[in-house]
Amino acid sequence: MITLLVFLPLLTALVAGLGGRAIGHTAAKAITTGGLFVSAALAWTIFIGFWLNEAPATTVPVLDWIESGALRVQWALKVDTLTAVMLVVVTSVSALVHLYSWGYMEEDPSQSRFFAYLSLFTFAMLMLVTADNLVQMFFGWEGVGLASYLLIGFWYTKPSANAAAIKAFVVNRVGDFGFSLGIFATFLVFGTVSIDAIVAAVPQHAGQTFSFLGSTVDVMTCLCLLLFIGACGKSAQLGLHTWLPDAMEGPTPVSALIHAATMVTAGVFMVCRLSPMFEASETALAVVTIVGACTAFFAATVGMVQNDIKRVIAYSTCSQLGYMFFAAGTGAYGVAMFHLFTHAFFKALLFLGAGSVIHAMHHEQDMRFYGGLRKHIPITFWMMTIGTLALTGFFFTAGYYSKDAILEAAYASGTASGTFAFTVGAVVALLTSFYSWRLVFLTFFGAPRWAGSEHIQHAVHDAHHGHDHAHHHDDGTAGYHPHESPLSMLVPLFVLGAGALLAGIIWHGAFVEAEPGAAFWRGSLAFDTHLMHALHEVPAWVVWTPSIAFFAGLGLAWNAYVRRPSIPKWWRNEVPGLYEFLLRKWYFDELYNAIFVRPSLWFGRLFWTRGDQQTIDRFGPDGAAEMVVVGSNLARRFQSGYVYSYALVMLVGLAAAAAWMMR
């Protein structure tokens, strides 16, 4: 079952990618989508078995992969509770994205290639989450990096898409370098890359140290921080986050697949999979907690001022990943995975809902040119409202259970870093509510502002065969009539909406409660039952903090974007420096451009002109060729056709030879 589940997306990707032209777009889409729904059905079967405590953890060998000295790597598929959770998340979201793409990509001439890339990405992610060892995990890790590059740059005729794909690839290489160093160091310390063997041997190596540059360094801290660098790159944590917003250049289904539930959660999964290692280092846990909390705050502040609907949701993803990491850093790995699980439903719902809005608004993504859409696309409006309620933690939605559990666990941990994370997390909950409802109010409420959109103007112009009718409409619509998305795009919204409402209620006990949680996870991650008990004993004000933040953020957003729409403009004029700072994303891109990009380009040009052209080429192939040319020109002068010229040359040569012999 697990073998079919994992390799079916690869098979369908090969069929669609290599045979797409032969079989046609419809067949390619049907094969890839059908394969993903089969994998999703198998994944749910496996997950329910673990949820009901009926399925045993197993490892299915595939083949002997690498054998070199002491390094022995077997390609095997590891199936336990942690894997089962990720299988459901990956295959469910991917299957729905495949179905959604039938409508969204209907007019694209490269549909077969797109669906092949989606399935290839899914296969790489499945390889990552079923990895039995670190080398296999790295294989899947790099596979999703490659597939994300292909998907983000799918519209390769757009320079911005190519730049975003390259940026994602390069930034992830930085994190992956740290991850690879962590794998090398782990093999050096443990003598194996098998995850089970490493986890079992952690107590033997806890507390060991080594000397580096005159300092004493804890072995487990070093290993965990190197591995965490990889997680920061893949999961877009502060410092290595700059690729995530630019990745919005890809088609909207790609945004939902990569940023909602799959690629960006790989880092969280890796930390939870290796949680016994992190438990052996308080320093590493504190770093994970602080980085996660700072990421959540950073992304939330930036999301408050973004105008592109997809970028707001992208920064929301970055912020929620910060929540997951500081939950893991406080030792609540089950809570981190619970938020990963629930987040997959409501964030995929929001991304696909945003795609439905963009589809209705003729590919306009700037929320400043929306307004009043709830009457025109009511199904999309209600689905996105459900997603927003879940994201912001409204009572009894999926986000309410998981986000509250994260903040309560951070407070209950009793550590300084946990207290810091709780404080920051409470502020971030308010900011999340504000920018999420800002998105809803700007998009669906108020008067239409479509007339200012170039995309809408083009749509109206094309519809009237070159006659501009925009000036005949003073209601802000420019005469444009948005339309609801086709059924293939709406069905995934209904499914994800159900998950956003019900996932928390149904699976809260299994993921988070002390006794049911211990039985559910069964050692697949470090599950602290004492912390889970303490989580339910925190003061009432801690429990109510997320809900208070929800209503405060909702009230602020309603006041600023519905009741008094002049407030945002006033705020921009009053504190232009702060607004520009947030709009420019804390100037991270500018800073990296000054520190890394420009010096790299300068060195590249220097080595190219001075090193390659003026040194290597000058004294190498170009110089040798020039010598041949000069020698040929010189020799040509003696080829005059006169006998006395040849006799002179022979005489000079004879004299030179005689002089050489007599010296």
Side-chain angles (χ1 to χ4, degrees):
M1 181 185 293
I2 184 63
T3 305
L4 177 63
L5 187 160
V6 171
F7 286 100
L8 189 57
L10 175 62
L11 179 62
T12 59
L14 292 174
V15 172
L18 300 179
R21 291 186 179 181
I23 63 178
H25 290 323
T26 302
K29 293 189 293 185
I31 290 171
T32 52
T33 305
L36 256 298
F37 272 95
V38 171
S39 290
L42 295 175
W44 277 99
T45 301
I46 293 172
F47 172 74
I48 291 173
F50 280 96
W51 180 37
L52 299 176
N53 294 322
E54 295 176 354
T58 58
T59 300
V60 179
V62 177
L63 54 84
D64 292 328
W65 192 12
I66 301 172
E67 186 169 346
S68 177
L71 177 62
R72 287 177 173 80
V73 181
Q74 186 184 49
W75 196 334
L77 306 178
K78 179 181 176 64
V79 185
D80 58 7
T81 306
L82 185 59
T83 303
V85 171
M86 292 301 297
L87 290 177
V88 162
V89 168
V90 172
T91 57
S92 299
V93 173
S94 183
L96 293 173
V97 166
H98 273 73
L99 178 59
Y100 180 91
S101 299
W102 277 66
Y104 194 87
M105 302 295 290
E106 184 178 8
E107 299 176 0
D108 196 283
S110 301
Q111 296 176 59
S112 299
R113 179 166 60 90
F114 180 76
F115 278 80
Y117 287 170
L118 288 181
S119 292
L120 177 64
F121 178 92
T122 307
F123 165 72
M125 194 67 200
L126 291 174
M127 286 306 309
L128 192 159
V129 301
T130 58
D132 175 64
N133 56 77
L134 294 179
V135 175
Q136 184 180 333
M137 183 182 289
F138 191 73
F139 171 83
W141 198 271
E142 294 302 300
V144 295
L146 169 64
S148 67
Y149 170 81
L150 297 173
L151 287 168
I152 294 168
F154 177 75
W155 287 322
Y156 56 83
T157 55
K158 291 173 56 180
S160 57
N162 289 330
I166 293 172
K167 186 176 183 180
F169 197 79
V170 171
V171 173
N172 272 280
R173 295 293 74 71
V174 176
D176 294 352
F177 180 64
F179 187 33
S180 61
L181 290 179
I183 294 174
F184 299 152
T186 301
F187 176 72
L188 181 66
V189 172
F190 289 89
T192 180
V193 291
S194 170
I195 294 175
D196 289 339
I198 292 170
V199 168
V202 164
Q204 303 173 22
H205 298 278
Q208 290 184 355
T209 61
F210 67 95
S211 296
F212 181 73
L213 298 178
S215 301
T216 301
V217 181
D218 184 76
V219 169
M220 297 306 298
T221 299
C222 178
L223 297 180
C224 291
L225 291 181
L226 287 173
L227 295 169
F228 181 59
I229 291 173
C232 286
K234 200 65 73 182
S235 295
Q237 293 301 283
L238 191 63
L240 294 176
H241 67 279
T242 53
W243 67 270
L244 185 66
D246 290 359
M248 296 298 104
E249 290 293 338
T252 299
V254 173
S255 303
L257 183 63
I258 294 179
H259 307 121
T262 52
M263 176 176 167
V264 292
T265 59
V268 180
F269 165 78
M270 186 263 285
V271 170
C272 291
R273 172 63 79 196
L274 301 176
S275 52
M277 289 181 65
F278 284 84
E279 284 293 297
S281 172
E282 292 183 2
T283 303
L285 288 177
V287 170
V288 172
T289 304
I290 293 170
V291 170
C294 291
T295 302
F297 179 74
F298 156 78
T301 59
V302 175
M304 292 170 59
V305 299
Q306 297 301 305
N307 297 312
D308 187 308
I309 187 171
K310 286 172 65 177
R311 285 182 179 264
V312 174
I313 304 174
Y315 278 108
S316 171
T317 298
C318 190
S319 183
Q320 298 305 306
L321 289 165
Y323 269 111
M324 296 176 206
F325 272 110
F326 81 65
T330 57
Y333 302 100
V335 176
M337 288 302 302
F338 185 41
H339 195 53
L340 185 156
F341 184 75
T342 60
H343 176 264
F345 291 104
F346 58 72
K347 189 54 61 70
L349 174 60
L350 286 171
F351 265 119
L352 296 184
S356 182
V357 172
I358 295 168
H359 185 268
M361 293 299 289
H362 202 69
H363 303 290
E364 177 59 71
Q365 296 183 197
D366 194 325
M367 296 185 297
R368 292 173 294 185
F369 301 126
Y370 289 167
L373 287 175
R374 71 183 188 279
K375 298 178 182 178
H376 299 271
I377 46 175
I379 298 176
T380 300
F381 163 66
W382 284 111
M383 290 300 102
M384 287 201 71
T385 300
I386 290 173
T388 303
L389 287 169
L391 170 62
T392 53
F394 184 67
F395 297 115
F396 309 117
T397 60
Y400 167 76
Y401 288 99
S402 58
K403 186 185 291 185
D404 284 25
I406 288 175
L407 293 176
E408 291 165 13
Y411 182 88
S413 67
T415 62
S417 58
T419 303
F420 170 77
F422 168 77
T423 305
V424 172
V427 175
V428 171
L430 188 151
L431 300 180
T432 301
S433 181
F434 174 81
Y435 69 67
S436 299
W437 289 109
R438 169 181 177 263
L439 182 152
V440 171
F441 294 145
L442 281 175
T443 302
F444 297 105
F445 289 81
R449 302 180 296 277
W450 318 336
S453 167
E454 292 185 8
H455 294 273
I456 299 301
Q457 294 287 359
H458 284 304
V460 174
H461 184 273
D462 294 341
H464 293 88
H465 305 289
H467 299 287
D468 188 2
H469 286 236
H471 62 276
H472 295 303
H473 299 268
D474 56 3
D475 58 357
T477 66
Y480 182 73
H481 303 286
H483 52 87
E484 192 63 89
S485 299
L487 194 61
S488 63
M489 294 174 63
L490 295 178
V491 169
L493 298 185
F494 293 137
V495 177
L496 292 169
L501 289 175
L502 302 176
I505 296 174
I506 296 173
W507 286 290
H508 174 260
F511 278 82
V512 175
E513 299 290 341
E515 282 72 23
F520 175 69
W521 291 111
R522 282 185 270 175
S524 59
L525 49 70
F527 189 79
D528 189 343
T529 55
H530 297 291
L531 179 61
M532 294 304 102
H533 280 298
L535 182 150
H536 297 291
E537 297 173 359
V538 296
W541 66 268
V542 174
V543 176
W544 282 99
T545 294
S547 298
I548 294 171
F550 163 80
F551 286 108
L554 172 61
L556 289 172
W558 179 81
N559 188 55
Y561 293 97
V562 177
R563 181 170 174 266
R564 297 175 60 189
S566 61
I567 290 179
K569 185 177 180 180
W570 171 85
W571 183 77
R572 289 195 298 269
N573 294 333
E574 287 296 313
V575 283
L578 177 61
Y579 175 76
E580 189 69 15
F581 177 73
L582 297 180
L583 189 65
R584 293 294 187 90
K585 301 158 286 188
W586 291 25
Y587 291 100
F588 267 100
D589 284 319
E590 289 80 358
L591 182 65
Y592 285 178
N593 189 53
I595 296 176
F596 301 114
V597 177
R598 288 184 180 176
S600 297
L601 293 175
W602 183 84
F603 275 112
R605 283 191 293 267
L606 177 67
F607 289 134
W608 170 41
T609 55
R610 299 287 180 84
D612 193 18
Q613 291 183 331
Q614 298 180 17
T615 304
I616 297 174
D617 287 348
R618 181 181 180 186
F619 296 104
D622 290 349
E626 185 66 23
M627 288 179 64
V628 171
V629 172
V630 171
S632 300
N633 290 333
L634 183 63
R636 188 176 61 185
R637 294 184 180 182
F638 295 101
Q639 304 297 318
S640 62
Y642 295 105
V643 175
Y644 62 81
S645 295
Y646 299 145
L648 176 62
V649 173
M650 293 172 63
L651 183 61
V652 171
L654 183 62
W660 174 263
M661 295 298 295
M662 291 187 296
R663 66 181 176 86

